[in-house]
Amino acid sequence: MSKAVVRKTLISLAVASAAAVAQADVVIGVAGPHTGAYAAFGEQLWRGAEKAAMDINAKGGINGEMIKLVKADDACEPKQAVSIANRLVDSDEAVAVVGHFCSSSSIPASSIYEEAGVLMVTPASTNPTLTDRGLPNVFRVCGRDDQQGDVAASYIVGDLGAKKVAIIHDKDTYGKGLADAMKATMNAYGLEEVLYEGLTRGEKDFNALVTKIRSVDADVVYFGGLHSEAGPLVRQMREQGLTAKFISGDGIVSDEFVSVAGSPEYVDGVLMTFGADPTSYPAGKEVVEQFRSEGIEPEGYVMYSYTAMQVVASALGANDLDPVAASEWLHSNKVDTVMGTKQFDDKGDLLVSDYVMYEWDANGKYSMMDN
């Protein structure tokens, strides 16, 4: 008997056992970078999932069974993601996972979940490869990089009328994938980049790179990556007098972007793509108010994570806690969430994506632009 069959059999036995025992726990993993340079995003995922689980449990749980969350830290490292995916399946006996955050973690981990028949719903992984492989158990409640790349390229060419664009990426699955997606659309519009360069995650000194950007006289710098590198890069650009418009994607949608940049003045005017304000949906008004009453601003992916938990709970609830049946169900059923009604295609992608442009201001806050 293959390892995959054994794992799926064990999951089925666990589900049957849970159904037979009153008030058994429904174990759901929350996987992401809970430590390290990208922990701010892990905190967003945890806050959303934890709040959703508490609210669902307060209303009777899933078919009378209480959700038990397990925090799984992958630090946005692929090898660690595989390790914690195996732990969630073999030791924690999770039936579903909300996560991961980084696409470079989600892609290898999703194969582990598929073998075990575990439902996976990511709030944040946007690389197209994740769903293009056609795994039946993998879904995302965010958009794809080719979609936000299109929005960015359209803005750069059409709205800004840019002539010299420098494209920088962090060599990671997400960052390079996003940069390449924007590049492809921009090139299709007839505009070629004047610089295409990779940097290394964890680096802080980008003066040599800034010199290269200056040498090509770029009027726009597009960065594919996360806030931890974007912040120091834009600061060093401004310190050296470069006024080129700095544009990035949803990897900088965190207050930590301002912190690592050093001051709000350095992020003033920075543009980014992100989904339409997740705190503005009427269905989520009460949840947003509850967060704010507790002194928590549900920024970035908090509401996406809450939504992912709702998707998981709805699917499991409609299928007697069977994650394999729940995965099949999600491909043909709608789910009402705090971010509106969600519906998925055959790949596990949303039928509707809503990327728009945002701008950071001198107070270190971001808001949707008039698009």
Side-chain angles (χ1 to χ4, degrees), residues 68-367:
K68 176 185 176 183
L69 297 186
V70 176
K71 184 178 288 188
D73 179 23
D74 65 20
C76 273
E77 294 290 343
K79 290 183 179 179
Q80 190 165 325
V82 169
S83 177
I84 64 110
N86 279 305
R87 191 206 78 197
L88 285 170
V89 169
D90 296 330
S91 300
D92 298 313
E93 298 184 348
V95 296
V97 173
V98 170
H100 298 223
F101 177 77
C102 287
S103 295
S104 56
S105 292
S106 285
I107 291 171
S110 63
S111 296
I112 305 298
Y113 304 137
E114 193 276 331
E115 287 182 2
V118 171
L119 171 61
M120 171 184 168
V121 181
T122 173
S125 292
T126 52
N127 188 275
T129 300
L130 177 63
T131 49
D132 282 352
R133 294 170 302 152
L135 300 186
N137 63 311
V138 177
F139 301 83
R140 56 175 144 214
V141 294
C142 56
R144 295 163 49 110
D145 287 336
D146 44 7
Q147 294 167 335
Q148 68 170 321
D150 285 352
V151 171
S154 177
Y155 189 85
I156 289 169
V157 176
D159 292 76
L160 293 180
K163 302 300 182 184
K164 297 182 178 180
V165 180
I167 300 175
I168 313 297
H169 62 82
D170 66 358
K171 305 177 186 176
D172 183 71
T173 303
Y174 162 72
K176 186 175 186 299
L178 177 59
D180 288 347
M182 194 288 295
K183 176 181 180 298
T185 302
M186 186 182 77
N187 292 164
Y189 282 135
L191 180 61
E192 296 293 323
E193 66 278 5
V194 294
L195 178 67
Y196 180 86
E197 191 86 8
L199 55 79
T200 301
R201 277 188 171 186
E203 286 185 358
K204 299 301 178 187
D205 184 356
F206 300 118
N207 284 302
L209 178 57
V210 171
T211 298
K212 286 186 178 181
I213 295 171
R214 181 195 297 278
S215 70
V216 296
D217 194 27
D219 51 8
V220 169
V221 173
Y222 184 82
F223 177 66
L226 301 178
H227 67 277
S228 49
E229 286 73 41
L233 175 58
V234 72
R235 182 187 71 243
Q236 289 167 44
M237 285 175 53
R238 301 303 182 236
E239 287 176 340
Q240 292 194 33
L242 271 66
T243 59
K245 181 65 72 174
F246 191 93
I247 305 176
S248 191
D250 52 4
I252 66 171
V253 62
S254 167
D255 288 342
E256 286 291 310
F257 176 48
V258 181
S259 299
V260 296
S263 172
E265 67 178 295
Y266 295 120
V267 306
D268 186 21
V270 168
L271 304 180
M272 67 180 182
T273 46
F274 188 48
D277 187 359
T279 66
S280 66
Y281 291 85
K285 182 179 179 181
E286 183 178 352
V287 172
V288 171
E289 289 176 348
Q290 289 172 356
F291 270 121
R292 289 173 175 165
S293 70
E294 298 168 4
I296 298 172
E297 180 58 34
E299 66 161 340
Y301 286 98
V302 173
M303 297 301 286
Y304 281 87
S305 188
Y306 192 110
T307 295
M309 185 62 69
Q310 288 181 303
V311 169
V312 167
S314 295
L316 290 175
N319 293 277
D320 297 323
L321 303 181
D322 182 343
V324 175
S327 297
E328 296 174 357
W329 182 88
L330 279 175
H331 286 289
S332 56
N333 287 273
K334 300 177 181 179
V335 179
D336 291 329
T337 78
V338 292
M339 291 179 62
T341 300
K342 301 302 180 185
Q343 189 172 5
F344 304 93
D345 63 17
D346 291 341
K347 292 182 179 181
D349 289 320
L350 290 173
L351 289 183
V352 178
S353 175
D354 59 356
Y355 282 113
V356 295
M357 297 299 300
Y358 283 75
E359 184 172 24
W360 289 82
D361 62 29
N363 296 313
K365 301 297 180 182
Y366 59 85
S367 58

Side-chain angles (χ1 to χ4, degrees), residues 53-76:
M54 290 174 62
D55 290 348
I56 293 167
N57 283 345
K59 296 178 180 178
I62 304 176
N63 296 354
E65 315 295 351
M66 296 296 104
I67 296 173
K68 176 185 176 183
L69 297 186
V70 176
K71 184 178 288 188
D73 179 23
D74 65 20
C76 273

